[in-house]
Amino acid sequence: MKITPDGAQKLIRSLEEEKQQLAGKIDKLSTFVVAVSEGNPEELRPDFKCMETIKEIDCINEKIRKIKHSRNIFNTTTLLPEEDITLDEALILMAMLNKNYEYYIKLGNRQTRERNRTSYGNEIEYTYTNYDIQEIKNYGKNMYERMLEIQSKLNLVNSTYNFEVDL
């Protein structure tokens, strides 16, 4: 079966929901209550085959494993358009950029001079930045633009490229 990465994610989500429904079926039907006045519990036992339901869940898990494995192979062997990195590397890079971006935004939002909250004796103290704030802001802006560029290329791949899944 040929599928896009987006399609694979939607299929995995659908299979996970199917698993939840089957688990709910186990929760609901694995026990039952019969009042003594209702009669023989064996005659009132709901139709339920627990092992069949468990095997259905196992089958779904196998499909999910195959889809995720195929997607992982796709991600480690497919190059991001106009880049010299695989999709897997791009995903790692995005995570790193996101984490670092927050730090650089914090640095870029500092004041060149900030009064300290406490003072020693009658002295007023200031903390001064020891870097060019505008330079850091520009660096953060460039980082953000790079994240948008990579995300745009990832979106293109996720919605238009296909890979094979053997279900």
Side-chain angles (χ1 to χ4, degrees):
M1 143 193 250
K2 283 203 175 281
I3 194 165
T4 65
D6 278 348
Q9 190 58 37
K10 289 175 183 163
L11 181 55
I12 290 169
R13 198 173 311 122
S14 170
L15 291 168
E16 291 289 354
E17 288 173 9
E18 191 176 333
K19 270 180 27 181
Q20 285 179 340
Q21 289 174 351
L22 290 170
K25 180 179 176 182
I26 291 173
D27 289 343
K28 183 177 179 181
L29 297 174
S30 62
T31 60
F32 67 103
V33 176
V34 176
V36 174
S37 62
E38 290 182 288
N40 181 354
E42 290 307 315
E43 292 174 4
L44 299 170
R45 180 180 299 277
D47 184 31
F48 173 63
K49 302 208 178 355
C50 190
M51 279 311 298
E52 283 182 20
T53 307
I54 290 171
K55 287 179 183 179
E56 285 182 65
I57 291 172
D58 289 345
C59 182
I60 292 170
N61 282 332
E62 181 68 13
K63 286 179 184 178
I64 291 171
R65 183 191 61 78
K66 286 181 178 184
I67 295 166
K68 286 184 175 185
H69 178 66
S70 295
R71 185 182 58 195
N72 286 345
I73 291 171
F74 174 78
N75 285 347
T76 57
T77 59
T78 304
L79 291 177
L80 194 64
E82 302 170 18
E83 302 283 340
D84 193 28
I85 59 174
T86 63
L87 299 179
D88 182 59
E89 290 174 296
L91 293 170
I92 293 166
L93 178 57
M94 283 296 289
M96 292 169 67
L97 288 172
N98 273 310
K99 182 178 179 182
N100 292 334
Y101 177 70
E102 292 175 21
Y103 179 71
Y104 293 120
I105 287 299
K106 182 179 160 186
L107 286 176
N109 285 331
R110 285 191 179 159
Q111 300 297 314
T112 54
R113 180 178 83 161
E114 188 173 311
R115 185 175 177 170
N116 290 342
R117 298 278 181 228
T118 60
S119 63
Y120 299 102
N122 293 329
E123 290 290 323
I124 296 173
E125 290 184 342
Y126 289 93
T127 299
Y128 296 87
T129 56
N130 197 20
Y131 57 88
D132 183 337
I133 292 174
Q134 189 58 48
E135 183 178 40
I136 298 300
K137 282 184 178 185
N138 291 340
Y139 187 78
K141 181 180 180 224
N142 291 339
M143 184 178 285
Y144 184 75
E145 288 171 1
R146 178 71 172 140
M147 289 188 308
L148 291 177
E149 177 185 10
I150 292 171
Q151 187 61 60
S152 175
K153 291 175 183 180
L154 283 169
N155 291 345
L156 173 71
V157 170
N158 284 334
S159 61
T160 60
Y161 285 42
N162 289 304
F163 62 92
E164 189 70 36
V165 178
D166 182 25
L167 294 179

